Amino acid sequence: MVERKGLEDLPGVGPATAEKLKEAGYGSIEALAVSSSSEVASIADIGESTAQKIINAARLAADVGGFETGDQVLERRKLVGKLSFGTKAFDDLMGGGIETQAITEFYGEFGSGKTQVAHQMAVNAQLPIEEKGLEGSVIIIDTENTFRPERITQMVKGLSVRMGTEYDPEIFLKNIHVAKAYNSNHQILLVDTAMDLANKLKDSDKPVRLIIVDSLTAHFRAEYVGRGTLADRQQKLNKHMHELMKFGTLYNAAILVTNQVMSKPDAFFGDPTKPIGGHIVGHTATFRLYLRKSKGEKRIARLVDSPNLPEGEAIFSVTTEGLKD
Ligand code: GTP
Ligand code: MG
């Protein structure tokens, strides 16, 4: 894979411009490539035609916006891997698990199990392909400070029992790279950092094959309040999602994001279980799963959106040892 370039490597981008763009959340060439000239012009305080030239250079460097021939797409699709949940019901629902080169979104109320699913997948992703893993490392962008190494240890122990093999939790923990995101801009920048890490690990025996953003929307929701800021928020979320997608394509990694639902039933908007982020998140995520609580440890996952699988539900349990049927 190509050496990653920085913004400063683009013709027309000096250190000052690069700095302004980074501060505004356009930290990568990929982000710049999918932005608009008016946006970039106002952020960097440059003319629109200069901005357009920079964007064009970014598109060239990032190789986005170009066409792939059908056979190239097929070649890339051949590499798509599946990451098992480790529960039959869940795997059946998803045709074997979550796909690489795709964004899978889990949305649901607090306590519905989104973070637990994320932890379990961070474990499963490290398993060999024969055991329905991806034989890879994991990156977690933790925005709510809910990553718990203790839970990983418990789940690895549960896995050892289930598989009848002695797995070492320490090794699993070593292959999970966690970064806390302090705000939405930081969250966006962390995808860049993730690319650097993925580049470093790409020829190792544990390349990055799963990236988790838990939660995708919490910072955005907290920071952009009020109607006037909605367009801004959606634009940033859109950019963020596309960068994540880019990550998935570049590194053949699965992308798992979590999303809250609007907690207060709003008379004007009816459905109290609408995921945050609206159309932007909905249209960019390849697969959407709605999680809800049932009795005790039981949870119900509903596949609500998928390009190639029928809608349906799976029942699973969240236990101390991890997800179970
Ligand atoms: P928010 O992030 O608040 O929106 O919720 P979430 O959907 O991420 O929920 P999360 O995955 O954190 O689920 C929390 C629930 O998982 C708890 O209420 C417990 O029911 C269950 N859980 C978490 N840890 C354990 C554990 O060690 N053992 C068992 N049995 N259940 C656990
Ligand atoms: Mg959570």
Side-chain angles (χ1 to χ4, degrees), residues 100-298:
T100 62
Q101 301 183 34
I103 299 179
T104 305
E105 175 201 355
F106 292 87
Y107 71 91
E109 276 185 329
F110 68 92
S112 59
K114 303 180 294 292
T115 298
Q116 297 305 310
V117 171
H119 277 72
Q120 185 71 62
M121 291 316 233
V123 170
N124 295 359
Q126 301 185 38
L127 291 173
I129 311 279
E130 311 85 73
E131 280 157 31
K132 301 180 193 165
L134 296 171
E135 253 169 70
S137 298
V138 179
I139 289 178
I140 300 181
I141 298 179
D142 182 10
T143 77
E144 300 191 294
N145 202 9
T146 50
F147 173 74
R148 293 289 174 277
E150 300 82 2
R151 284 296 285 139
I152 299 295
T153 302
Q154 288 170 335
M155 287 176 174
V156 173
K157 284 181 181 158
L159 188 72
S160 297
V161 173
R162 195 167 77 233
M163 310 287 273
T165 318
E166 203 50 50
Y167 290 109
D168 182 358
E170 191 83 7
I171 293 175
F172 279 76
L173 285 168
K174 279 204 161 68
N175 291 322
I176 301 175
H177 305 266
V178 188
K180 277 184 208 159
Y182 295 102
N183 55 47
S184 64
N185 276 342
H186 186 214
Q187 181 179 331
I188 291 171
L189 284 178
L190 282 174
V191 180
D192 274 6
T193 318
M195 287 201 184
D196 291 337
L197 181 60
N199 245 4
K200 239 185 257 163
L201 294 176
K202 71 176 192 286
D203 297 320
S204 72
D205 61 336
K206 279 280 189 315
V208 178
R209 303 300 304 281
L210 170 66
I211 182 164
I212 293 169
V213 185
D214 184 16
S215 134
L216 176 76
T217 46
H219 280 316
F220 289 91
R221 184 191 201 183
E223 289 164 31
Y224 294 84
V225 280
R227 295 228 130 220
T229 58
L230 200 63
D232 249 11
R233 181 187 87 174
Q234 293 305 80
Q235 196 177 39
K236 281 220 167 153
L237 250 178
N238 187 33
K239 188 164 74 77
H240 186 39
M241 296 282 286
H242 279 99
E243 284 199 89
L244 286 169
M245 193 62 216
K246 179 92 188 169
F247 185 99
T249 314
L250 271 178
Y251 301 104
N252 191 23
I255 304 142
L256 190 164
V257 304
T258 71
N259 192 2
Q260 277 88 356
V261 293
M262 302 191 200
S263 50
K264 279 194 203 115
D266 188 317
F268 290 102
F269 300 106
D271 189 358
T273 60
K274 265 205 175 124
I276 311 290
H279 297 309
I280 295 292
V281 176
H283 289 162
T284 319
T286 324
F287 301 93
R288 306 195 94 182
L289 287 133
Y290 174 39
L291 297 186
R292 57 188 203 274
K293 289 186 241 185
S294 184
K295 281 202 195 96
E297 295 179 327
K298 290 240 178 316

